[in-house]
């Protein structure tokens, strides 16, 4: 029965129920709304659709019990208000995990980077809370990308104006506020470590770390890296410089290497950042805006087509670049043994492209082959995602030949997403419960609002989906709701719970909790699609019954005649009498789903007007159903 008050399909609780948190950032301004309700994952079969049809248009629903996405207060109180921001420019386009539950979010339309803290409950590990920590301001234009540099809190940000900024997230966060005025002034200035102007002609679309280098500041724990940096500084600038650096909390060493791309060029630029070792005169206070490091262009990696995605394996000197025509190029950094201290030079090792050289496609079809996301899967494999929603797993080594073009991927998942794949992240390695086999995991999200999780055996790379979450499941039958896209993805792992943080196009953040992954009897993605298919068939059966039962006659209203129509009240009464809905308000919601999803009927004068429970509102059946003469009743 179509009853919005129904909590479960059969009156019992689902097999697995995991509590979660959905966090909405209204306009990326830091307004948090949480919910601690228990999630529901009812089976969506033909026999049970009558009891669960209300959830199709009124509540967030996960298709499988492993993941849980909770309804927030915002989505419960005013669903239309939250859905109407689907095309907002304030979409959360970047999420970066810093460690210890801290993560960063950024939006293209926002000049501030926001830092949050994700914590699990002390008594219940499945309960989660999010705390806003601080803003990182100073960028003149919107933030296009973020990337983590190292475990010491450094991160990089790219902007629409081509500027790259190096930050230290630990200043003003973990440091004690007690101390001299000089140290407090130093912390204030050194949140932003360096600003690199005009690195790209246009916006910086992606930044990928190649080598985290070294980073030493006086408040760090003493280790060999700090001892080497202090010794070097004392030898160059004298012992007084070390004491002054400790007093003012100056950066002693700062170096890294990264690659950047812009979506309009065919090159990948490799940059090297080194500490500014110029000897400075003693100053009573630090200079505002002074860079602690300087940047240098190492190499430009040329490609045949526009590069749209890049991924690296830090410490292994490997770089992947995906272009607009579906090719992935593997680059390897090789050390120059003849020149000590020089940066590595990058050489093309092989190219991966599943398309054959003589294949011809239309321009629109070719654009769907573009590689929009990449991620290494261990040291032997990598995953590529396309604009058309396809996933492919490749062997990094190919056949072992140098300068080869690999056309055969290990496995391809056509149509894993229905639209562009926006992000792929690698999860932790697990041991599958039944087979005791080591599994690699990775997660994907796309503009279709889907978040998928896969397990891949280490010995035989055949992926299998074990979790599916659709962020737009609640509003896919609403006519005035914009589609919700999943744009960015982050993973916080704390055994036994893994939390996925998803940035959406409506400016919200969703935290999805995942227990220890295990494979079910059926692939989760196939099961989800089967449920959606059954759901559509059920709506089709109800539509056939409505067409057979409702009689159309000629009616008059306001001195005007309307031929072959029925009233909205008649349709609502039929749905309630036939127990397709429990209440009249639920019948109106079901009727709107039939109207928008199947085009069963439309208003006689106002095409865009939805079903109303009113005997003065006249409707006609659509052309698809009007031509049918059979009055044989369909059965569920």
């Amino acid at each position: 029965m179509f009853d919005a008050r129904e909590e479960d399909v059969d009156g019992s609780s689902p097999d697995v129920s995991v509590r979660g948190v959905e966090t909405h950032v209204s306009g990326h301004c830091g307004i948090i709304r949480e919910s601690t309700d228990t999630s529901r994952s009812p089976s969506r079969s033909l026999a049970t659709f009558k009891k669960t049809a209300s959830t199709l248009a009124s509540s967030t629903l996960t298709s499988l019990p492993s993941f849980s996405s909770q309804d927030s207060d915002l989505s419960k109180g005013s669903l239309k208000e939250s859905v109407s921001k689907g095309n907002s420019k304030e979409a959360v386009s970047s999420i970066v995990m810093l460690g210890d539950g801290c993560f960063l979010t950024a939006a293209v339309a926002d000049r501030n980077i926001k830092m949050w803290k994700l914590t699990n409950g002390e008594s219940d590990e499945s309960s989660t809370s999010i705390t806003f920590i601080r803003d990182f301001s100073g960028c003149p234009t919107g933030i296009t990308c973020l990337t983590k540099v190292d475990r010491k809190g450094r991160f990089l940000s790219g902007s629409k104006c081509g500027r790259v900024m190096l930050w230290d997230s630990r200043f003003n966060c973990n440091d004690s506020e007690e101390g001299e005025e000089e140290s407090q002034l130093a912390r204030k200035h050194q949140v932003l470590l360096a600003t690199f102007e005009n690195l790209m002609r246009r916006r910086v679309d992606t930044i990928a770390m190649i080598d985290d280098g070294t980073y030493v500041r006086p408040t760090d724990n003493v280790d060999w890296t700090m001892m080497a940096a202090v010794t070097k500084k004392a030898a160059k600038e004298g012992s007084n410089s070390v004491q002054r650096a400790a007093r003012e909390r100056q950066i002693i060493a700062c170096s890294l290497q990264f690659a950047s791309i812009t979506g309009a060029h065919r090159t990948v630029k490799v940059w090297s950042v080194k500490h500014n070792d110029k000897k400075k005169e003693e100053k009573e206070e630090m200079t505002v805006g002074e860079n602690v490091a300087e940047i240098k262009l190492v190499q430009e990696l040329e490609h045949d087509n526009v590069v749209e995605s890049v991924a690296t394996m830090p410490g292994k000197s490997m770089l992947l670049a995906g272009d607009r025509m579906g090719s992935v190029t593997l680059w390897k950094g090789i050390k120059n043994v003849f020149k000590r201290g020089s940066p590595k030079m990058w050489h093309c090792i092989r190219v991966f492209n599943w398309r054959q050289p003589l294949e011809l496609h239309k321009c629109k079809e070719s654009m769907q082959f573009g590689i929009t996301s990449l991620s290494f899967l261990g040291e032997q494999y990598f995953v590529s995602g396309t604009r058309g929603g396809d996933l492919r797993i490749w062997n990094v080594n190919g056949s072992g030949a140098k300068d080869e073009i690999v056309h055969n991927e290990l496995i391809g998942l056509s149509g894993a997403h229905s639209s562009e794949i926006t992000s792929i992240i690698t999860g932790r390695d697990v041991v599958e419960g039944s087979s005791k086999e080591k599994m690699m995991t990775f997660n994907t999200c796309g503009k279709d609002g889907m978040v998928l999780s896969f397990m891949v055996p280490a010995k035989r790379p055949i992926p299998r989906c074990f979790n599916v979450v659709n962020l737009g499941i609640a509003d896919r039958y609403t006519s005035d709701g914009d589609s919700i896209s999943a744009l960015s993805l982050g993973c916080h792992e704390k055994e036994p719970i893994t939390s996925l943080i998803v940035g959406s196009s409506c400016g919200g953040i969703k935290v999805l909790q995942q227990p220890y992954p295990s494979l079910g009897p059926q692939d989760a993605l196939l099961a989800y699609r089967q449920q959606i298919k059954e759901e559509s068939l059920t709506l089709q059966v109800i539509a056939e019954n409505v067409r057979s039962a409702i009689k159309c006659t000629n009616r008059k209203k306001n001195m005007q005649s309307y031929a072959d129509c029925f009233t909205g009240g008649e349709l609502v009464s039929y749905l309630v009498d036939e127990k397709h809905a429990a209440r009249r308000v639920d019948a109106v919601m079901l009727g709107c789903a039939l109207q928008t999803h199947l085009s069963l009927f439309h208003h006689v004068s106002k095409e865009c007007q939805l079903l109303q429970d009113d005997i003065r509102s006249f409707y006609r059946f659509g052309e698809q159903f009007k031509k049918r003469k059979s009055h044989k009743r369909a059965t569920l």
Side-chain angles (χ1 to χ4, degrees):
M1 182 180 293
F2 189 19
D3 187 359
R5 297 170 296 181
E6 291 285 345
E7 295 184 357
D8 293 304
V9 177
D10 53 0
S12 61
S13 59
D15 297 335
V16 180
S17 179
V18 183
R19 299 176 64 189
V21 173
E22 176 182 302
T23 303
H24 281 270
V25 184
S26 180
H28 200 251
C29 63
I31 299 177
I32 301 178
R33 299 177 182 271
E34 300 177 359
S35 172
T36 57
D37 295 339
T38 304
S39 63
R40 303 181 295 276
S41 300
S43 173
R44 311 267 283 277
S45 63
L46 291 172
T48 59
F49 180 79
K50 292 182 180 180
K51 294 184 180 181
T52 61
S54 62
T55 59
L56 301 180
S58 61
S59 65
T60 302
L61 187 63
T62 56
S63 62
L64 294 171
S66 299
F67 266 108
S68 74
S69 172
Q70 298 299 329
D71 295 335
S72 68
D73 298 337
L74 180 61
S75 62
K76 291 180 178 179
S78 55
L79 178 63
K80 293 183 179 180
E81 179 181 354
S82 62
V83 172
S84 64
K85 300 177 181 179
N87 292 329
S88 173
K89 295 182 180 180
E90 300 174 352
V92 181
S93 57
S94 299
I95 294 178
V96 168
M97 306 301 300
L98 296 178
D100 297 330
C102 294
F103 65 95
L104 303 169
T105 63
V108 178
D110 194 353
R111 301 180 182 181
N112 295 329
I113 303 170
K114 299 187 179 298
M115 185 175 182
W116 311 84
K117 177 74 172 181
L118 178 68
T119 56
N120 295 329
E122 297 181 357
S123 57
D124 187 3
E125 293 184 351
S126 61
S127 62
T128 308
S129 62
I130 295 180
T131 305
F132 174 74
I133 298 180
R134 60 160 300 160
D135 277 328
F136 295 92
S137 59
C139 186
T141 57
I143 309 297
T144 56
C145 58
L146 297 172
T147 187
K148 176 184 175 181
V149 175
D150 53 19
R151 297 182 178 180
K152 295 185 177 182
R154 286 188 300 172
F155 67 93
L156 289 167
S157 66
S159 61
K160 293 194 295 184
C161 62
R163 176 183 296 183
V164 175
M165 307 174 78
L166 177 62
W167 307 81
D168 185 349
S169 62
R170 297 181 300 175
F171 278 104
N172 289 349
C173 298
N174 297 334
D175 289 342
S176 174
E177 293 297 333
E178 299 179 359
E180 298 89 351
E181 296 181 359
E182 294 82 359
S183 61
Q184 295 182 6
L185 181 63
R187 290 198 301 269
K188 178 180 179 181
H189 293 162
Q190 291 182 351
V191 172
L192 176 59
L193 300 180
T195 301
F196 310 120
E197 300 282 353
N198 301 324
L199 294 191
M200 313 292 286
R201 295 181 181 178
R202 300 184 181 181
R203 54 183 280 170
V204 181
D205 283 339
T206 306
I207 298 175
M209 285 303 306
I210 296 176
D211 188 0
D212 58 2
T214 59
Y215 183 53
V216 177
R217 65 176 192 173
T219 56
D220 293 337
N221 296 328
V222 178
D223 54 10
W224 289 108
T225 303
M226 172 177 281
M227 294 177 62
V230 170
T231 304
K232 182 179 178 180
K233 187 176 183 65
K236 283 189 174 183
E237 304 178 20
S239 59
N240 292 334
S241 63
V242 177
Q243 297 178 1
R244 183 175 66 254
R247 182 175 63 254
E248 298 179 357
R249 298 196 178 185
Q250 296 179 3
I251 306 301
I252 299 177
C254 181
S255 63
L256 60 111
Q257 193 174 25
F258 67 92
S260 63
I261 64 170
T262 177
H265 292 164
R266 301 181 180 183
T267 60
V268 177
K269 294 185 178 182
V270 179
W271 305 89
S272 177
V273 177
K274 293 186 178 180
H275 186 252
N276 192 348
D277 291 331
K278 295 180 180 179
K279 185 176 180 179
K280 304 179 180 64
E281 298 179 357
E282 293 190 9
K283 304 175 183 179
E284 295 182 357
E285 60 182 23
M286 295 183 61
T287 303
V288 179
E290 181 182 2
N291 285 353
V292 301
E294 53 188 6
I295 193 168
K296 179 183 179 181
L297 178 61
V298 176
Q299 190 176 352
E300 294 188 9
L301 310 181
E302 297 288 343
H303 296 77
D304 295 334
N305 300 288
V306 173
V307 180
E308 294 195 339
S309 60
V310 63
T312 58
M313 182 179 289
K316 299 298 181 179
S317 299
M318 289 194 296
L319 183 146
L320 293 170
D323 62 31
R324 185 170 292 179
M325 300 305 293
S327 297
V328 180
T329 305
L330 174 64
W331 298 83
K332 180 72 175 180
I334 301 177
K335 187 177 181 181
N336 188 353
V337 296
F338 299 102
K339 189 176 180 181
R340 184 179 180 183
S342 62
K344 296 181 179 180
M345 298 304 296
W346 294 84
H347 299 272
C348 178
I349 303 299
R350 58 183 56 89
V351 178
F352 303 86
N353 194 335
W354 64 274
R355 299 167 57 192
Q356 297 298 326
L358 298 180
E359 289 186 6
L360 298 178
H361 298 273
K362 295 181 180 180
C363 182
K364 187 175 182 180
E365 294 177 351
S366 299
M367 294 299 291
Q368 298 299 312
F369 302 147
I371 306 297
T372 56
S373 54
L374 289 165
S375 178
F376 278 96
L377 191 61
E379 298 182 7
Q380 189 176 359
Y381 309 107
F382 72 89
V383 187
S384 65
T386 67
R387 182 172 285 103
D390 299 336
L391 282 172
R392 289 181 175 85
I393 298 179
W394 304 81
N395 190 332
V396 173
N397 298 322
S399 62
K402 189 176 181 181
D403 298 331
E404 66 173 334
I405 299 179
V406 182
H407 292 291
N408 297 323
E409 69 274 17
L410 295 177
I411 191 69
L413 302 176
S414 298
H417 290 263
S418 60
S419 60
E420 178 181 334
I421 299 176
T422 55
S423 179
I424 301 176
I425 61 172
T426 305
R428 59 178 176 174
D429 294 344
V430 298
V431 178
E432 208 277 321
S434 58
S435 62
K436 303 299 181 182
E437 186 177 5
K438 182 180 179 181
M439 297 280 188
M440 300 176 292
T441 62
F442 67 93
N443 307 278
T444 68
C445 66
K447 288 188 176 181
D448 56 355
M450 302 286 290
V451 180
L452 309 179
S453 298
F454 295 88
M455 296 179 70
V456 182
K459 296 182 179 180
R460 43 186 181 88
I462 302 178
R464 189 171 182 183
C465 182
F466 66 91
N467 274 304
V468 178
V469 173
N470 187 353
L471 302 184
I473 193 72
D475 59 293
R476 58 199 175 97
Y477 288 124
T478 59
S479 61
D480 56 346
D482 297 323
S483 60
I484 299 179
S485 302
L487 302 180
S488 52
L489 200 59
C491 183
H492 172 58
E493 297 178 351
K494 185 177 181 181
E495 294 185 0
I497 301 295
T498 298
S499 300
L500 288 181
I501 304 174
V502 186
S504 64
S505 58
C506 63
I509 302 172
K510 294 180 181 291
V511 179
L512 310 176
Q513 289 190 342
Q514 168 194 348
Y516 192 86
S518 60
L519 293 176
Q522 186 180 3
D523 186 276
L525 184 57
L526 297 179
Y528 172 81
R529 290 178 176 175
Q530 181 64 26
Q531 291 174 358
I532 297 299
K533 183 178 180 180
E534 293 177 352
E535 196 175 90
S536 300
L537 291 175
T538 304
L539 285 177
Q540 188 70 30
V541 171
I542 296 177
E544 294 286 350
N545 292 339
V546 169
R547 180 64 185 93
S548 302
I550 299 296
K551 296 181 179 180
C552 298
T553 59
N554 299 331
R555 302 176 187 273
K556 289 186 178 181
K557 179 181 178 181
N558 297 333
M559 304 299 292
Q560 188 173 356
S561 299
Y562 300 95
D564 196 21
C565 61
F566 61 93
T567 66
E570 292 177 347
L571 177 57
V572 172
S573 298
Y574 168 79
L575 294 176
V576 175
D577 294 341
E578 294 296 322
K579 302 191 183 303
H580 291 301
R583 302 173 299 172
R584 298 189 70 87
V585 62
D586 301 325
V588 173
M589 296 169 60
L590 178 58
C592 291
L594 296 173
Q595 179 182 1
T596 58
H597 188 61
L598 298 181
S599 300
L600 176 61
F601 57 88
H602 58 83
H603 194 268
V604 292
S605 58
K606 302 177 182 179
E607 295 289 340
C608 60
Q609 181 173 325
L610 296 178
L611 176 65
Q612 295 181 357
D613 187 8
D614 187 4
I615 60 174
R616 297 183 180 181
S617 297
F618 300 157
Y619 301 88
R620 291 194 184 101
F621 287 106
E623 295 296 331
Q624 180 182 359
F625 293 88
K626 187 182 297 185
K627 297 178 181 179
R628 301 182 181 179
K629 302 296 184 181
S630 176
H631 292 277
K632 185 177 180 181
R633 180 180 175 83
T635 58
L636 288 173

